[in-house]
Amino acid sequence: MFKRKIKVGIAFGGGGTRGFSHLGAIKAFEEFGIKFDYVAGTSAGSLVGAFYAAGYSFKEMYNIIKNIKEKDIRKNLIPFTTSKIDGVGDIIINNLGDINIEDLKIPFSAVAVDIKSTKEMCISKGNLAKAVMGSCAVPGVFQPVVYDDMILCDGGLQNTIPADIPRYYGCDYVVSIDVNKSRTYGTDSTKVLDVLLCSVRILMKSNAIRGYVNSDVVIKPETKRFKSTKTDGMDDMIDEGYKAAIDVMPEIINLFKKKVKKKDKPYNPDIVFINK
């Protein structure tokens, strides 16, 4: 549909099961023939982003997720205990294989945080399942993931909407999807898990600004009525993602018509790039 003279990246933001909204946006991209040159993802966005970078269509992704239950992801439902995150790795391995990131069709980065160094890790090479598992490992919900000499936790602790990552890899423009724009809500509970999750939301609120600053277009589905820890309402979340993408589609299409605009790459000394 478009003559490609520029590079446009897509950043899939984190948001737990609200990440189902990403699929609606992907459906809209397909209808308008839009394809991106670079894919970055944080947390749930890294899982969707991995399949998108592998060339999976909306329908193929939907056929996988429609049968996924909460117990398939969070296998330990005992209160006040964390679960292994092997279920996320199983979704990758059972459908894409035990592959490396560099085997994907579109260049891809998963964003996680190494709790040993406290650095943000932009993982662009190496085992795909491990990288995505680390990116999704929400503190207090999932156990951290040991990956080489790192101990990885959810990338949303530092970069919940990784719009700057495609820019680091040469994209002229970036479209982002924020499936969790209502992340600012608090809690009146003093339960350990509720307090931990609220603490994570507070952290993500501040670093979400970074994502908006580095985005040329942001797709913002209405997901407030859905719980980020439940799969209930999956189809409705997909519809919200689709509608939100359609609403800004003229702006997205316009990006592909723009001339290449030379921009300085973002600078953040706390990001470690794993690309070897």
Side-chain angles (χ1 to χ4, degrees):
M1 184 174 177
F2 306 105
K3 286 188 176 181
R4 302 298 304 281
K5 296 182 179 180
I6 59 171
K7 291 181 69 175
V8 182
I10 178 74
F12 293 100
T17 51
R18 289 172 174 171
F20 288 136
S21 301
H22 287 309
L23 273 70
I26 290 170
K27 180 181 178 182
F29 299 152
E30 290 178 359
E31 290 183 1
F32 283 84
I34 291 174
K35 296 181 179 180
F36 294 96
D37 298 283
Y38 203 96
V39 182
T42 293
S43 198
S46 72
L47 180 58
V48 175
F51 279 90
Y52 184 80
Y56 271 51
S57 66
F58 160 75
K59 187 174 182 179
E60 289 171 322
M61 288 189 226
Y62 182 81
N63 286 337
I64 292 170
I65 68 163
K66 68 181 181 181
N67 296 316
I68 294 176
K69 306 298 181 184
E70 182 186 353
K71 64 181 180 180
D72 298 325
I73 303 297
R74 189 180 171 212
K75 298 186 176 182
N76 185 356
L77 299 179
I78 301 173
F80 311 118
T81 61
T82 56
S83 168
K84 290 185 177 180
I85 199 168
D86 296 356
V88 170
D90 291 342
I91 293 171
I92 294 283
I93 294 170
N94 292 340
N95 293 281
L96 300 180
D98 194 11
I99 64 173
N100 286 339
I101 293 174
E102 52 268 38
D103 298 322
L104 296 170
K105 294 181 179 180
I106 305 172
F108 169 73
S109 293
V111 174
V113 171
D114 175 22
I115 60 172
K116 286 176 62 178
S117 66
T118 73
K119 299 274 188 180
E120 176 185 335
M121 313 304 292
C122 175
I123 307 173
S124 308
K125 301 284 185 183
N127 187 267
L128 177 65
K130 279 277 191 177
V132 172
M133 288 165 62
S135 182
C136 293
V138 180
V141 178
F142 295 109
Q143 297 171 13
V145 175
V146 177
Y147 184 23
D148 291 338
D149 60 346
M150 302 171 288
I151 302 176
L152 300 179
C153 281
D154 193 298
L157 293 173
Q158 293 202 24
N159 195 355
T160 191
I161 306 171
D164 54 336
I165 300 304
R167 293 197 185 281
Y168 276 109
Y169 286 97
C171 287
D172 305 289
Y173 302 102
V174 179
V175 176
S176 295
I177 308 174
D178 182 7
V179 300
N180 197 25
K181 68 175 184 175
S182 61
R183 61 177 57 82
T184 53
Y185 70 94
T187 182
D188 56 6
S189 171
T190 58
K191 293 180 180 178
V192 174
L193 183 58
D194 290 335
V195 172
L196 280 170
L197 290 175
C198 185
S199 300
V200 171
R201 290 195 298 271
I202 292 169
L203 289 170
M204 291 180 177
K205 175 185 175 181
S206 60
N207 72 51
I209 297 171
R210 171 177 157 197
Y212 276 76
V213 168
N214 284 286
S215 302
D216 295 285
V217 178
V218 182
I219 299 169
K220 296 176 284 185
E222 291 291 344
T223 60
K224 186 176 182 179
R225 69 184 189 274
F226 306 106
K227 291 187 177 181
S228 62
T229 57
K230 301 293 183 181
T231 58
D232 300 340
M234 180 187 73
D235 289 327
D236 291 334
M237 284 187 263
I238 291 172
D239 287 343
E240 291 294 347
Y242 177 81
K243 289 188 291 185
I246 292 297
D247 286 344
V248 296
M249 193 58 69
E251 298 174 51
I252 296 173
I253 291 173
N254 190 51
L255 294 180
F256 288 84
K257 296 178 179 179
K258 287 185 175 183
K259 294 181 180 179
V260 173
K261 185 177 180 180
K262 196 71 175 179
K263 291 184 178 180
D264 293 332
K265 290 183 178 181
Y267 174 69
N268 187 335
D270 285 327
I271 298 181
V272 176
F273 292 90
I274 301 175
N275 51 23
K276 293 183 180 180

PDB file of all heavy atoms in Angstrom, residues 89-123:
ATOM      1  N   GLY A  89       6.802 -19.001  28.792  1.00  0.00           N
ATOM      2  CA  GLY A  89       7.790 -19.647  27.929  1.00  0.00           C
ATOM      3  C   GLY A  89       7.178 -20.778  27.117  1.00  0.00           C
ATOM      4  O   GLY A  89       7.527 -20.969  25.940  1.00  0.00           O
ATOM      5  N   ASP A  90       6.243 -21.511  27.733  1.00  0.00           N
ATOM      6  CA  ASP A  90       5.590 -22.608  27.014  1.00  0.00           C
ATOM      7  C   ASP A  90       4.799 -22.097  25.814  1.00  0.00           C
ATOM      8  O   ASP A  90       4.761 -22.745  24.757  1.00  0.00           O
ATOM      9  CB  ASP A  90       4.647 -23.363  27.957  1.00  0.00           C
ATOM     10  CG  ASP A  90       5.394 -24.154  29.027  1.00  0.00           C
ATOM     11  OD1 ASP A  90       6.601 -24.403  28.844  1.00  0.00           O
ATOM     12  OD2 ASP A  90       4.761 -24.501  30.051  1.00  0.00           O
ATOM     13  N   ILE A  91       4.151 -20.947  25.966  1.00  0.00           N
ATOM     14  CA  ILE A  91       3.388 -20.381  24.847  1.00  0.00           C
ATOM     15  C   ILE A  91       4.312 -20.085  23.672  1.00  0.00           C
ATOM     16  O   ILE A  91       3.991 -20.358  22.507  1.00  0.00           O
ATOM     17  CB  ILE A  91       2.649 -19.104  25.290  1.00  0.00           C
ATOM     18  CG1 ILE A  91       1.567 -19.454  26.303  1.00  0.00           C
ATOM     19  CG2 ILE A  91       2.030 -18.394  24.080  1.00  0.00           C
ATOM     20  CD1 ILE A  91       0.928 -18.245  26.956  1.00  0.00           C
ATOM     21  N   ILE A  92       5.486 -19.542  23.979  1.00  0.00           N
ATOM     22  CA  ILE A  92       6.468 -19.243  22.924  1.00  0.00           C
ATOM     23  C   ILE A  92       6.978 -20.528  22.289  1.00  0.00           C
ATOM     24  O   ILE A  92       6.935 -20.712  21.061  1.00  0.00           O
ATOM     25  CB  ILE A  92       7.655 -18.444  23.500  1.00  0.00           C
ATOM     26  CG1 ILE A  92       7.205 -17.052  23.969  1.00  0.00           C
ATOM     27  CG2 ILE A  92       8.786 -18.343  22.477  1.00  0.00           C
ATOM     28  CD1 ILE A  92       6.974 -16.047  22.895  1.00  0.00           C
ATOM     29  N   ILE A  93       7.457 -21.436  23.109  1.00  0.00           N
ATOM     30  CA  ILE A  93       8.110 -22.647  22.599  1.00  0.00           C
ATOM     31  C   ILE A  93       7.132 -23.550  21.852  1.00  0.00           C
ATOM     32  O   ILE A  93       7.450 -24.104  20.794  1.00  0.00           O
ATOM     33  CB  ILE A  93       8.796 -23.408  23.751  1.00  0.00           C
ATOM     34  CG1 ILE A  93       9.953 -22.569  24.317  1.00  0.00           C
ATOM     35  CG2 ILE A  93       9.311 -24.772  23.275  1.00  0.00           C
ATOM     36  CD1 ILE A  93      10.544 -23.109  25.600  1.00  0.00           C
ATOM     37  N   ASN A  94       5.925 -23.692  22.379  1.00  0.00           N
ATOM     38  CA  ASN A  94       4.948 -24.591  21.756  1.00  0.00           C
ATOM     39  C   ASN A  94       4.442 -24.085  20.408  1.00  0.00           C
ATOM     40  O   ASN A  94       3.937 -24.865  19.594  1.00  0.00           O
ATOM     41  CB  ASN A  94       3.753 -24.809  22.691  1.00  0.00           C
ATOM     42  CG  ASN A  94       4.129 -25.592  23.929  1.00  0.00           C
ATOM     43  OD1 ASN A  94       5.140 -26.280  23.963  1.00  0.00           O
ATOM     44  ND2 ASN A  94       3.317 -25.487  24.973  1.00  0.00           N
ATOM     45  N   ASN A  95       4.570 -22.784  20.161  1.00  0.00           N
ATOM     46  CA  ASN A  95       4.057 -22.220  18.918  1.00  0.00           C
ATOM     47  C   ASN A  95       5.153 -21.725  17.968  1.00  0.00           C
ATOM     48  O   ASN A  95       5.053 -21.917  16.760  1.00  0.00           O
ATOM     49  CB  ASN A  95       3.097 -21.066  19.231  1.00  0.00           C
ATOM     50  CG  ASN A  95       1.831 -21.530  19.903  1.00  0.00           C
ATOM     51  OD1 ASN A  95       0.924 -22.029  19.247  1.00  0.00           O
ATOM     52  ND2 ASN A  95       1.745 -21.393  21.222  1.00  0.00           N
ATOM     53  N   LEU A  96       6.174 -21.108  18.523  1.00  0.00           N
ATOM     54  CA  LEU A  96       7.260 -20.575  17.684  1.00  0.00           C
ATOM     55  C   LEU A  96       8.494 -21.464  17.692  1.00  0.00           C
ATOM     56  O   LEU A  96       9.354 -21.336  16.817  1.00  0.00           O
ATOM     57  CB  LEU A  96       7.641 -19.168  18.150  1.00  0.00           C
ATOM     58  CG  LEU A  96       6.540 -18.102  18.119  1.00  0.00           C
ATOM     59  CD1 LEU A  96       7.079 -16.762  18.607  1.00  0.00           C
ATOM     60  CD2 LEU A  96       5.949 -17.965  16.727  1.00  0.00           C
ATOM     61  N   GLY A  97       8.582 -22.343  18.690  1.00  0.00           N
ATOM     62  CA  GLY A  97       9.763 -23.175  18.828  1.00  0.00           C
ATOM     63  C   GLY A  97      10.741 -22.567  19.820  1.00  0.00           C
ATOM     64  O   GLY A  97      10.603 -21.417  20.232  1.00  0.00           O
ATOM     65  N   ASP A  98      11.731 -23.324  20.194  1.00  0.00           N
ATOM     66  CA  ASP A  98      12.765 -22.840  21.113  1.00  0.00           C
ATOM     67  C   ASP A  98      13.820 -22.106  20.298  1.00  0.00           C
ATOM     68  O   ASP A  98      14.934 -22.600  20.089  1.00  0.00           O
ATOM     69  CB  ASP A  98      13.374 -24.023  21.871  1.00  0.00           C
ATOM     70  CG  ASP A  98      14.196 -23.570  23.070  1.00  0.00           C
ATOM     71  OD1 ASP A  98      14.119 -22.378  23.433  1.00  0.00           O
ATOM     72  OD2 ASP A  98      14.925 -24.409  23.633  1.00  0.00           O
ATOM     73  N   ILE A  99      13.464 -20.913  19.839  1.00  0.00           N
ATOM     74  CA  ILE A  99      14.279 -20.173  18.877  1.00  0.00           C
ATOM     75  C   ILE A  99      14.962 -18.981  19.539  1.00  0.00           C
ATOM     76  O   ILE A  99      14.657 -18.612  20.674  1.00  0.00           O
ATOM     77  CB  ILE A  99      13.437 -19.691  17.683  1.00  0.00           C
ATOM     78  CG1 ILE A  99      12.356 -18.687  18.160  1.00  0.00           C
ATOM     79  CG2 ILE A  99      12.799 -20.882  16.963  1.00  0.00           C
ATOM     80  CD1 ILE A  99      11.592 -18.034  17.021  1.00  0.00           C
ATOM     81  N   ASN A 100      15.860 -18.365  18.802  1.00  0.00           N
ATOM     82  CA  ASN A 100      16.502 -17.138  19.237  1.00  0.00           C
ATOM     83  C   ASN A 100      15.798 -15.930  18.625  1.00  0.00           C
ATOM     84  O   ASN A 100      15.129 -16.037  17.589  1.00  0.00           O
ATOM     85  CB  ASN A 100      17.976 -17.126  18.837  1.00  0.00           C
ATOM     86  CG  ASN A 100      18.813 -18.051  19.691  1.00  0.00           C
ATOM     87  OD1 ASN A 100      18.428 -18.418  20.807  1.00  0.00           O
ATOM     88  ND2 ASN A 100      19.960 -18.449  19.168  1.00  0.00           N
ATOM     89  N   ILE A 101      15.962 -14.795  19.247  1.00  0.00           N
ATOM     90  CA  ILE A 101      15.337 -13.564  18.766  1.00  0.00           C
ATOM     91  C   ILE A 101      15.759 -13.253  17.336  1.00  0.00           C
ATOM     92  O   ILE A 101      14.948 -12.814  16.517  1.00  0.00           O
ATOM     93  CB  ILE A 101      15.690 -12.390  19.696  1.00  0.00           C
ATOM     94  CG1 ILE A 101      15.044 -12.602  21.065  1.00  0.00           C
ATOM     95  CG2 ILE A 101      15.259 -11.055  19.103  1.00  0.00           C
ATOM     96  CD1 ILE A 101      15.430 -11.585  22.107  1.00  0.00           C
ATOM     97  N   GLU A 102      17.003 -13.524  17.027  1.00  0.00           N
ATOM     98  CA  GLU A 102      17.502 -13.210  15.683  1.00  0.00           C
ATOM     99  C   GLU A 102      16.893 -14.089  14.605  1.00  0.00           C
ATOM    100  O   GLU A 102      17.076 -13.834  13.402  1.00  0.00           O
ATOM    101  CB  GLU A 102      19.026 -13.266  15.629  1.00  0.00           C
ATOM    102  CG  GLU A 102      19.638 -14.548  16.162  1.00  0.00           C
ATOM    103  CD  GLU A 102      19.991 -14.511  17.623  1.00  0.00           C
ATOM    104  OE1 GLU A 102      19.234 -13.906  18.425  1.00  0.00           O
ATOM    105  OE2 GLU A 102      21.036 -15.089  17.988  1.00  0.00           O
ATOM    106  N   ASP A 103      16.142 -15.122  14.979  1.00  0.00           N
ATOM    107  CA  ASP A 103      15.452 -15.976  14.013  1.00  0.00           C
ATOM    108  C   ASP A 103      14.107 -15.403  13.577  1.00  0.00           C
ATOM    109  O   ASP A 103      13.476 -15.929  12.654  1.00  0.00           O
ATOM    110  CB  ASP A 103      15.223 -17.375  14.600  1.00  0.00           C
ATOM    111  CG  ASP A 103      16.520 -18.097  14.919  1.00  0.00           C
ATOM    112  OD1 ASP A 103      17.477 -17.949  14.141  1.00  0.00           O
ATOM    113  OD2 ASP A 103      16.580 -18.804  15.953  1.00  0.00           O
ATOM    114  N   LEU A 104      13.642 -14.354  14.229  1.00  0.00           N
ATOM    115  CA  LEU A 104      12.355 -13.761  13.894  1.00  0.00           C
ATOM    116  C   LEU A 104      12.420 -13.019  12.560  1.00  0.00           C
ATOM    117  O   LEU A 104      13.490 -12.608  12.108  1.00  0.00           O
ATOM    118  CB  LEU A 104      11.915 -12.793  15.002  1.00  0.00           C
ATOM    119  CG  LEU A 104      11.660 -13.430  16.376  1.00  0.00           C
ATOM    120  CD1 LEU A 104      11.472 -12.353  17.435  1.00  0.00           C
ATOM    121  CD2 LEU A 104      10.455 -14.353  16.318  1.00  0.00           C
ATOM    122  N   LYS A 105      11.271 -12.814  11.951  1.00  0.00           N
ATOM    123  CA  LYS A 105      11.217 -12.172  10.626  1.00  0.00           C
ATOM    124  C   LYS A 105      11.448 -10.670  10.691  1.00  0.00           C
ATOM    125  O   LYS A 105      11.967 -10.074   9.749  1.00  0.00           O
ATOM    126  CB  LYS A 105       9.853 -12.459   9.976  1.00  0.00           C
ATOM    127  CG  LYS A 105       9.631 -13.930   9.639  1.00  0.00           C
ATOM    128  CD  LYS A 105       8.272 -14.157   8.978  1.00  0.00           C
ATOM    129  CE  LYS A 105       8.081 -15.627   8.624  1.00  0.00           C
ATOM    130  NZ  LYS A 105       6.754 -15.874   7.986  1.00  0.00           N
ATOM    131  N   ILE A 106      11.026 -10.055  11.780  1.00  0.00           N
ATOM    132  CA  ILE A 106      11.203  -8.615  11.969  1.00  0.00           C
ATOM    133  C   ILE A 106      12.114  -8.412  13.174  1.00  0.00           C
ATOM    134  O   ILE A 106      11.951  -9.087  14.199  1.00  0.00           O
ATOM    135  CB  ILE A 106       9.855  -7.915  12.218  1.00  0.00           C
ATOM    136  CG1 ILE A 106       8.861  -8.226  11.101  1.00  0.00           C
ATOM    137  CG2 ILE A 106      10.043  -6.396  12.342  1.00  0.00           C
ATOM    138  CD1 ILE A 106       7.451  -7.718  11.379  1.00  0.00           C
ATOM    139  N   PRO A 107      13.077  -7.496  13.109  1.00  0.00           N
ATOM    140  CA  PRO A 107      13.936  -7.244  14.274  1.00  0.00           C
ATOM    141  C   PRO A 107      13.098  -6.923  15.515  1.00  0.00           C
ATOM    142  O   PRO A 107      12.123  -6.169  15.447  1.00  0.00           O
ATOM    143  CB  PRO A 107      14.776  -6.040  13.832  1.00  0.00           C
ATOM    144  CG  PRO A 107      14.787  -6.117  12.341  1.00  0.00           C
ATOM    145  CD  PRO A 107      13.456  -6.667  11.951  1.00  0.00           C
ATOM    146  N   PHE A 108      13.517  -7.481  16.651  1.00  0.00           N
ATOM    147  CA  PHE A 108      12.698  -7.418  17.853  1.00  0.00           C
ATOM    148  C   PHE A 108      13.564  -7.241  19.093  1.00  0.00           C
ATOM    149  O   PHE A 108      14.664  -7.787  19.183  1.00  0.00           O
ATOM    150  CB  PHE A 108      11.884  -8.718  17.975  1.00  0.00           C
ATOM    151  CG  PHE A 108      11.185  -8.902  19.286  1.00  0.00           C
ATOM    152  CD1 PHE A 108      10.056  -8.158  19.607  1.00  0.00           C
ATOM    153  CD2 PHE A 108      11.642  -9.834  20.222  1.00  0.00           C
ATOM    154  CE1 PHE A 108       9.396  -8.335  20.824  1.00  0.00           C
ATOM    155  CE2 PHE A 108      10.984 -10.017  21.434  1.00  0.00           C
ATOM    156  CZ  PHE A 108       9.861  -9.263  21.733  1.00  0.00           C
ATOM    157  N   SER A 109      13.027  -6.484  20.045  1.00  0.00           N
ATOM    158  CA  SER A 109      13.679  -6.335  21.346  1.00  0.00           C
ATOM    159  C   SER A 109      12.655  -6.519  22.453  1.00  0.00           C
ATOM    160  O   SER A 109      11.553  -5.963  22.390  1.00  0.00           O
ATOM    161  CB  SER A 109      14.302  -4.944  21.499  1.00  0.00           C
ATOM    162  OG  SER A 109      15.382  -4.762  20.620  1.00  0.00           O
ATOM    163  N   ALA A 110      13.020  -7.300  23.463  1.00  0.00           N
ATOM    164  CA  ALA A 110      12.214  -7.436  24.679  1.00  0.00           C
ATOM    165  C   ALA A 110      12.891  -6.627  25.778  1.00  0.00           C
ATOM    166  O   ALA A 110      14.113  -6.706  25.954  1.00  0.00           O
ATOM    167  CB  ALA A 110      12.096  -8.900  25.090  1.00  0.00           C
ATOM    168  N   VAL A 111      12.116  -5.867  26.509  1.00  0.00           N
ATOM    169  CA  VAL A 111      12.660  -5.007  27.556  1.00  0.00           C
ATOM    170  C   VAL A 111      12.396  -5.632  28.924  1.00  0.00           C
ATOM    171  O   VAL A 111      11.257  -5.981  29.247  1.00  0.00           O
ATOM    172  CB  VAL A 111      12.041  -3.601  27.495  1.00  0.00           C
ATOM    173  CG1 VAL A 111      12.508  -2.757  28.671  1.00  0.00           C
ATOM    174  CG2 VAL A 111      12.400  -2.930  26.176  1.00  0.00           C
ATOM    175  N   ALA A 112      13.451  -5.777  29.712  1.00  0.00           N
ATOM    176  CA  ALA A 112      13.349  -6.313  31.067  1.00  0.00           C
ATOM    177  C   ALA A 112      14.242  -5.478  31.979  1.00  0.00           C
ATOM    178  O   ALA A 112      14.926  -4.555  31.522  1.00  0.00           O
ATOM    179  CB  ALA A 112      13.762  -7.787  31.093  1.00  0.00           C
ATOM    180  N   VAL A 113      14.235  -5.799  33.258  1.00  0.00           N
ATOM    181  CA  VAL A 113      15.108  -5.121  34.221  1.00  0.00           C
ATOM    182  C   VAL A 113      15.913  -6.177  34.978  1.00  0.00           C
ATOM    183  O   VAL A 113      15.356  -7.159  35.466  1.00  0.00           O
ATOM    184  CB  VAL A 113      14.290  -4.273  35.215  1.00  0.00           C
ATOM    185  CG1 VAL A 113      15.183  -3.755  36.340  1.00  0.00           C
ATOM    186  CG2 VAL A 113      13.626  -3.106  34.504  1.00  0.00           C
ATOM    187  N   ASP A 114      17.216  -5.974  35.025  1.00  0.00           N
ATOM    188  CA  ASP A 114      18.113  -6.865  35.762  1.00  0.00           C
ATOM    189  C   ASP A 114      18.204  -6.366  37.198  1.00  0.00           C
ATOM    190  O   ASP A 114      18.745  -5.285  37.449  1.00  0.00           O
ATOM    191  CB  ASP A 114      19.493  -6.869  35.104  1.00  0.00           C
ATOM    192  CG  ASP A 114      20.509  -7.688  35.881  1.00  0.00           C
ATOM    193  OD1 ASP A 114      20.091  -8.568  36.665  1.00  0.00           O
ATOM    194  OD2 ASP A 114      21.722  -7.452  35.704  1.00  0.00           O
ATOM    195  N   ILE A 115      17.673  -7.127  38.141  1.00  0.00           N
ATOM    196  CA  ILE A 115      17.654  -6.651  39.522  1.00  0.00           C
ATOM    197  C   ILE A 115      19.028  -6.738  40.192  1.00  0.00           C
ATOM    198  O   ILE A 115      19.219  -6.202  41.284  1.00  0.00           O
ATOM    199  CB  ILE A 115      16.593  -7.395  40.364  1.00  0.00           C
ATOM    200  CG1 ILE A 115      16.862  -8.891  40.412  1.00  0.00           C
ATOM    201  CG2 ILE A 115      15.199  -7.105  39.835  1.00  0.00           C
ATOM    202  CD1 ILE A 115      15.946  -9.629  41.386  1.00  0.00           C
ATOM    203  N   LYS A 116      19.989  -7.391  39.544  1.00  0.00           N
ATOM    204  CA  LYS A 116      21.360  -7.397  40.078  1.00  0.00           C
ATOM    205  C   LYS A 116      22.024  -6.053  39.832  1.00  0.00           C
ATOM    206  O   LYS A 116      22.631  -5.471  40.731  1.00  0.00           O
ATOM    207  CB  LYS A 116      22.178  -8.518  39.420  1.00  0.00           C
ATOM    208  CG  LYS A 116      21.833  -9.915  39.906  1.00  0.00           C
ATOM    209  CD  LYS A 116      22.612 -10.977  39.146  1.00  0.00           C
ATOM    210  CE  LYS A 116      24.107 -10.848  39.342  1.00  0.00           C
ATOM    211  NZ  LYS A 116      24.834 -11.941  38.628  1.00  0.00           N
ATOM    212  N   SER A 117      21.910  -5.570  38.603  1.00  0.00           N
ATOM    213  CA  SER A 117      22.565  -4.311  38.244  1.00  0.00           C
ATOM    214  C   SER A 117      21.629  -3.118  38.340  1.00  0.00           C
ATOM    215  O   SER A 117      22.079  -1.972  38.308  1.00  0.00           O
ATOM    216  CB  SER A 117      23.092  -4.400  36.812  1.00  0.00           C
ATOM    217  OG  SER A 117      22.020  -4.504  35.884  1.00  0.00           O
ATOM    218  N   THR A 118      20.325  -3.370  38.455  1.00  0.00           N
ATOM    219  CA  THR A 118      19.230  -2.390  38.432  1.00  0.00           C
ATOM    220  C   THR A 118      19.097  -1.722  37.074  1.00  0.00           C
ATOM    221  O   THR A 118      18.381  -0.725  36.935  1.00  0.00           O
ATOM    222  CB  THR A 118      19.371  -1.304  39.523  1.00  0.00           C
ATOM    223  OG1 THR A 118      20.417  -0.394  39.172  1.00  0.00           O
ATOM    224  CG2 THR A 118      19.625  -1.921  40.886  1.00  0.00           C
ATOM    225  N   LYS A 119      19.744  -2.263  36.050  1.00  0.00           N
ATOM    226  CA  LYS A 119      19.728  -1.668  34.713  1.00  0.00           C
ATOM    227  C   LYS A 119      18.545  -2.184  33.894  1.00  0.00           C
ATOM    228  O   LYS A 119      18.072  -3.308  34.076  1.00  0.00           O
ATOM    229  CB  LYS A 119      21.020  -2.008  33.970  1.00  0.00           C
ATOM    230  CG  LYS A 119      22.296  -1.505  34.625  1.00  0.00           C
ATOM    231  CD  LYS A 119      22.606  -0.106  34.221  1.00  0.00           C
ATOM    232  CE  LYS A 119      23.980   0.336  34.721  1.00  0.00           C
ATOM    233  NZ  LYS A 119      24.290   1.713  34.329  1.00  0.00           N
ATOM    234  N   GLU A 120      18.100  -1.343  32.982  1.00  0.00           N
ATOM    235  CA  GLU A 120      17.139  -1.772  31.965  1.00  0.00           C
ATOM    236  C   GLU A 120      17.882  -2.589  30.913  1.00  0.00           C
ATOM    237  O   GLU A 120      18.925  -2.166  30.423  1.00  0.00           O
ATOM    238  CB  GLU A 120      16.485  -0.552  31.313  1.00  0.00           C
ATOM    239  CG  GLU A 120      15.550  -0.891  30.168  1.00  0.00           C
ATOM    240  CD  GLU A 120      15.000   0.345  29.466  1.00  0.00           C
ATOM    241  OE1 GLU A 120      14.940   1.417  30.113  1.00  0.00           O
ATOM    242  OE2 GLU A 120      14.652   0.255  28.280  1.00  0.00           O
ATOM    243  N   MET A 121      17.351  -3.735  30.567  1.00  0.00           N
ATOM    244  CA  MET A 121      17.987  -4.609  29.594  1.00  0.00           C
ATOM    245  C   MET A 121      17.169  -4.645  28.309  1.00  0.00           C
ATOM    246  O   MET A 121      15.986  -5.031  28.324  1.00  0.00           O
ATOM    247  CB  MET A 121      18.124  -6.034  30.150  1.00  0.00           C
ATOM    248  CG  MET A 121      18.665  -6.116  31.563  1.00  0.00           C
ATOM    249  SD  MET A 121      20.278  -5.309  31.807  1.00  0.00           S
ATOM    250  CE  MET A 121      21.329  -6.392  30.853  1.00  0.00           C
ATOM    251  N   CYS A 122      17.767  -4.211  27.234  1.00  0.00           N
ATOM    252  CA  CYS A 122      17.135  -4.287  25.923  1.00  0.00           C
ATOM    253  C   CYS A 122      17.703  -5.526  25.232  1.00  0.00           C
ATOM    254  O   CYS A 122      18.830  -5.516  24.738  1.00  0.00           O
ATOM    255  CB  CYS A 122      17.430  -3.024  25.115  1.00  0.00           C
ATOM    256  SG  CYS A 122      16.816  -3.088  23.416  1.00  0.00           S
ATOM    257  N   ILE A 123      16.915  -6.612  25.196  1.00  0.00           N
ATOM    258  CA  ILE A 123      17.407  -7.905  24.732  1.00  0.00           C
ATOM    259  C   ILE A 123      17.001  -8.109  23.280  1.00  0.00           C
ATOM    260  O   ILE A 123      15.828  -8.293  22.967  1.00  0.00           O
ATOM    261  CB  ILE A 123      16.861  -9.048  25.612  1.00  0.00           C
ATOM    262  CG1 ILE A 123      17.154  -8.745  27.087  1.00  0.00           C
ATOM    263  CG2 ILE A 123      17.483 -10.380  25.204  1.00  0.00           C
ATOM    264  CD1 ILE A 123      16.502  -9.722  28.047  1.00  0.00           C
TER     265      ILE A 123
END
